[in-house]
Amino acid sequence: MSDLLARHRAVMPNWLSIYYDEPIEIVRGKGNRVVDAEGHTYLDFFAGILTNMIGYDVPEVREAVERQIATGVVHTSTVYLLRGQIELAEKIARLSGIENAKVFFTNSGTEANETALLLATYARRSDQVLAMRQSYHGRSFGALSVTSNRSWKNNSLSPLNVHFLHGADRHLPQFRGLSDAEYIEVCVEDLRHVLATAVSNDVAALIAEPIQGVGGFTMAPDGLFKAYKEVLDEEGILFISDEVQTGWGRTGSAFFGIQNHGMTPDMMTFAKGLGNGFAVGGVVARGDLMDGPHAIGLATFGGNPISMAAANATLDYVLDHDLQSRAAVTGKILIDGLREAKGRLPIVGDVRGKGLMFAVELVDPATGAPAPALAGRFMEETKKLGLLAGKGGLYGNALRMAPPLTLTEDEAREGLGIILSALETINEEAGK
C-alpha cells in the first residue's frame, strides 16, 4: 500500500484530500460493507461521501447497467432522444413538487449548481446572489463564489456578486440561547437588512443547502427557509435548494431536505446518491426558468445511458423499499444513542442531524474550543474498529456520517457501538 500511496503522490495534486495516516484502497463491497486491499472489512458510514446511497453490489442496479451495456450503446449524447433520461426526468419532476417542472442532467453536483446559477442570473438579469455562511456548493469558479468556508476557497475572484446570510451559525455568541422562533426572526430581519443595504435591485437568487454538507451537517431550524422565501418572493428573488446531499429521503422526515421547511423552491439541484456510484447530477426547475436561456445548449455526458440506467434503478429501489422511512428509524437509533451518551463524554460538544445524516462535534474538554486533532484521532480509531466515517465542519472538528439508506437496525446498533467505543477511548485519552 505504501507503493500505491507514493505513486498517488507523484501524479495527483497535493490538495487532493485523502483520509487516514495509512490510506486504504477499497477493492470490494457488498451490502453496507467494504473490504480493503489488505483484507480488512469495514461497515461504511460515509458511503463514498453520501454517494453509494443504497449500498454495494445491489442486484437491481447491477442488472440494469448490464442490460444497457449489452445493447452496445454506452453513449450517444443529448442530441439524440434518450429514453432513460426522459423516464428519470418524469420521475424527478413529479417528486419535486415544482410546478411545470423540467429537468436537465449533468455529471456532478458542482455542474448542477453552476447550471442553476446560470438559469437564475439569466432569468433575473442580475449577477447578485445570496448564499449561506458555512456553505459549500462545489469546486468550480462559480460554485466556489457561493461557498462560504475559507478552507475550500482558493481566491476571492468571482463571476458573481455574493452576499452571505445567517441561518446555520447558532454557535456564534450573538445567537446562543435563542429559541428556534427567535433565531428565525433575527435571521429574517438580517435578510431584510442585507436587501436594504448591501445589494442593488434585482437579486437573482438565494442558494442554500437544507443541511450543510462540508459545513459539518449544520442546519437551519425547520421553517427558516420558508420565512426567507416569503421575503424573497416580495421581490421576485428565486430560491435554489442544493439537494446534492440531502435528497432522496436521507433526512427521514422528507424526500427532499427543503420540504422539512414546509416550502417548495423554484429550483433544486441534485447528484451524489441518485446514481449509487455512477456519475449523475442535475437541476429540476420551473419550466419557464429552464426554458429561458436563448442560446443552444447540450450535455455531452449528462443523461448518459449507463448513468440513467443506474439512476432509474436506484430511485425505483428507494421508492419501492420506502427507504425514507427506514432512514427515519435507523437514524433515530444512532442520533438518540449519541445524544444519550453526550452527557458523559466531555469531548462531545454537539450531536446533530436528521435521519441518516448526522454529525458529532468534538471539542477540547477543558475549554470547549473546536478540537480538529480529536476528530483526526476518531477517524483512526474507527478505522481500527472497522467503521468508515467522514469529517469536516468549519473548524475541522465535525465527524459527519451518512450510511447507505439500506442500513439495517442491527447495523445501526453495531455502528453506534463502534462510534461510542471510539469516543470513550478518545475521551479517556483527553482527560489524562
Side-chain angles (χ1 to χ4, degrees), residues 84-93 105 274 308 311-312 315:
Q85 177 182 241
I86 295 166
E87 291 172 347
L88 184 59
E90 289 171 339
K91 296 171 189 174
I92 293 172
F105 290 106
L274 178 59
M308 292 298 97
N312 271 298
L315 184 54

Side-chain angles (χ1 to χ4, degrees), residues 26 28-30 32-36 40-42 44 56 388:
I26 295 173
R28 294 194 308 279
K30 185 74 175 178
N32 300 316
R33 299 178 193 271
V34 295
V35 180
D36 70 14
H40 302 120
T41 299
Y42 306 91
D44 190 356
Y56 297 85
L388 301 183

Side-chain angles (χ1 to χ4, degrees), residues 120-344:
T121 54
Y122 184 93
R124 295 283 292 161
R125 298 295 191 269
S126 172
D127 68 345
Q128 296 182 110
V129 173
L130 305 174
M132 304 298 293
R133 294 189 182 194
Q134 303 176 185
S135 60
Y136 175 81
H137 296 286
R139 57 176 173 73
S140 62
F141 193 39
L144 276 179
S145 70
V146 289
T147 288
S148 176
N149 186 321
R150 187 173 181 177
S151 296
W152 292 83
K153 293 178 81 79
N154 288 305
N155 59 51
S156 61
L157 302 175
S158 172
L160 301 169
N161 185 348
V162 184
H163 297 278
F164 293 99
L165 304 177
H166 297 292
D169 49 9
R170 294 175 76 169
H171 64 284
L172 296 177
Q174 63 266 42
F175 301 131
R176 290 177 193 159
L178 295 182
S179 67
D180 285 356
E182 291 168 335
Y183 182 62
I184 289 172
E185 182 180 358
V186 168
C187 289
V188 169
E189 287 307 308
D190 179 71
L191 168 60
R192 289 191 181 278
H193 195 254
V194 168
L195 294 175
T197 62
V199 304
S200 180
N201 293 328
D202 300 326
V203 172
L206 165 62
I207 183 169
E209 304 158 273
I211 300 177
Q212 295 180 330
V214 168
F217 293 174
T218 45
M219 69 190 84
D222 289 350
L224 174 65
F225 290 133
K226 180 180 181 181
Y228 271 0
K229 192 171 190 303
E230 290 170 355
V231 175
L232 301 177
D233 284 348
E234 295 172 6
E235 299 191 20
I237 301 169
L238 304 173
F239 195 112
I240 303 166
S241 182
D242 179 343
E243 299 279 347
V244 169
Q245 297 196 30
T246 53
W248 322 118
R250 177 162 291 282
T251 68
S253 51
F255 197 69
F256 292 105
I258 198 64
Q259 293 167 346
N260 288 303
H261 291 260
M263 56 87 87
T264 301
D266 301 288
M267 301 185 227
M268 289 192 289
T269 59
F270 55 85
K272 289 196 182 292
L274 178 59
N276 203 49
F278 286 83
V280 56
V283 182
V284 55
R286 284 180 5 217
D288 61 305
L289 297 173
M290 191 68 80
D291 289 339
H294 66 275
I296 295 171
L298 56 78
T300 301
F301 290 105
N304 173 271
I306 303 298
S307 294
M308 292 298 97
N312 271 298
T314 300
L315 184 54
D316 289 347
Y317 192 100
V318 169
L319 296 170
D320 292 345
H321 293 81
D322 191 15
L323 294 190
Q324 178 183 327
S325 294
R326 183 183 292 193
V329 171
T330 51
K332 188 175 190 303
I333 291 171
L334 288 155
I335 294 171
D336 285 357
L338 290 167
R339 285 177 173 160
E340 182 180 336
K342 177 179 178 294
R344 59 181 171 83

